């Protein structure tokens, strides 16, 4: 599980890097047509990352927040197993994302302005806004939808275009932005984004997906 969590974090990080390389690196388009810039950023990147996760049978904490929570509610897993899974997978996703961030920084691909702008924007919002965006993200982009490529593409591109927040993607975007020169401290990245977004993802996945669908279809 730890290895798959590491790989999944790396895959999402690679998808996030692609998103920054495309929609995140067109400031003129964003200024003149922000809707088109968001659509471009949503169309390239994280859908590819999630397909890589699914293709490799990965472990992604945002998906597990819904699936494992539903298993706990159905009494197919204990609360200890639920917490252990989420903790181990979150840590593995984080390490995988950080590994890609450091390698990407060394690669010097020329996307520093886009990376800095994305990271700076993520810590400029309030705790409540980040939390709400985390809920909406995982409500829209839960793992059970991803049985087909089309079912991956539309929810994932949708939450990016809407400006919602994905904790695992941010595990890459924030450190990468800092390494590229963003005026952000690690404390700001954690307190102003990762904590509220993670909590929001948990609420969105565990309640609005896991609990609701268990209530609708569970025994």
């Amino acid at each position: 599980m730890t290895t798959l969590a590491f790989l999944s974090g790396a895959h999402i990080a690679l998808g996030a890097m692609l998103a920054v390389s495309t929609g995140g690196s067109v400031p003129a388009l964003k200024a003149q047509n922000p809707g088109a810039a968001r659509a471009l950023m949503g169309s390239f990147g994280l859908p590819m990352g999630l397909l890589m996760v699914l293709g490799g049978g990965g472990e992604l904490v945002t998906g597990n927040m819904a699936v494992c929570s539903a298993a706990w509610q159905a009494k197919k897993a204990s609360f200890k197993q639920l917490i252990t899974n989420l903790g181990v997978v979150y840590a593995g996703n984080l390490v995988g994302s950080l590994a890609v961030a450091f390698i990407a920084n060394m690669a010097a691909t020329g996307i520093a302005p886009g990376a800095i702008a994305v990271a700076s924007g993520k810590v400029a919002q309030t705790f409540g806004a980040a939390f709400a965006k985390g809920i909406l993200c995982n409500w829209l982009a839960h793992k059970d939808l991803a049985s087909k490529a089309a079912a991956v593409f539309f929810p994932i591109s949708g939450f990016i275009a809407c400006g919602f927040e994905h904790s695992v993607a941010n595990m890459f975007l924030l450190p990468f932005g800092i390494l590229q020169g963003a005026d952000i401290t690690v404390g700001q990245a954690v307190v102003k984004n990762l904590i509220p977004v993670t909590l929001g993802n948990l609420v969105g996945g565990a309640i609005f997906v896991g609990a609701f669908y268990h209530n609708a279809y569970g025994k």
Side-chain angles (χ1 to χ4, degrees):
M1 182 169 63
T2 303
T3 300
L4 290 175
F6 173 88
L7 290 173
S8 296
H11 291 157
I12 293 298
L14 290 169
M17 184 176 179
L18 176 58
V20 173
S21 300
T22 54
S25 297
V26 285
L29 178 63
K30 183 177 180 180
Q32 297 177 8
N33 194 334
R38 284 189 171 193
L40 178 61
M41 191 167 183
S43 298
F44 294 94
L46 287 188
M48 178 198 76
L50 185 56
L51 283 172
M52 293 172 68
V53 170
L54 296 171
E59 292 282 347
L60 195 63
V61 71
T62 46
N64 289 6
M65 287 172 176
V67 175
C68 295
S69 294
W72 170 64
Q73 292 172 78
K75 302 187 185 305
K76 294 181 179 179
S78 68
F79 185 72
K80 181 180 179 180
Q81 289 174 318
L82 169 64
I83 297 302
T84 299
N85 178 278
L86 295 182
V88 171
V89 174
Y90 190 90
N93 290 166
L94 177 60
V95 174
S97 298
L98 290 174
V100 174
F102 280 102
I103 296 170
N105 182 62
M106 293 171 59
T109 58
I111 59 172
I116 292 171
V118 170
S120 299
K122 288 186 176 298
V123 299
Q125 58 195 340
T126 65
F127 188 101
F131 176 71
K133 290 176 181 178
I135 294 176
L136 294 169
C137 168
N138 226 26
W139 193 349
L140 181 61
H142 62 88
K143 192 173 181 180
D144 283 347
L145 279 176
S147 59
K148 297 181 180 179
V152 172
F153 178 81
F154 289 108
I156 304 304
S157 61
F159 88 69
I160 294 296
C162 288
F164 300 157
E165 296 279 352
H166 190 277
S167 57
V168 181
N170 291 356
M171 290 175 186
F172 165 80
L173 291 168
L174 290 165
F176 184 57
I178 292 171
L179 289 170
Q180 293 287 293
D183 186 19
I184 301 169
T185 66
V186 173
Q188 287 175 319
V190 172
V191 174
K192 299 196 70 175
N193 187 274
L194 280 181
I195 290 177
V197 171
T198 298
L199 292 174
N201 285 168
L202 180 60
V203 171
I207 297 178
F208 291 102
V209 178
F212 280 22
Y213 280 101
H214 171 72
N215 183 63
Y217 299 113
K219 294 182 181 180

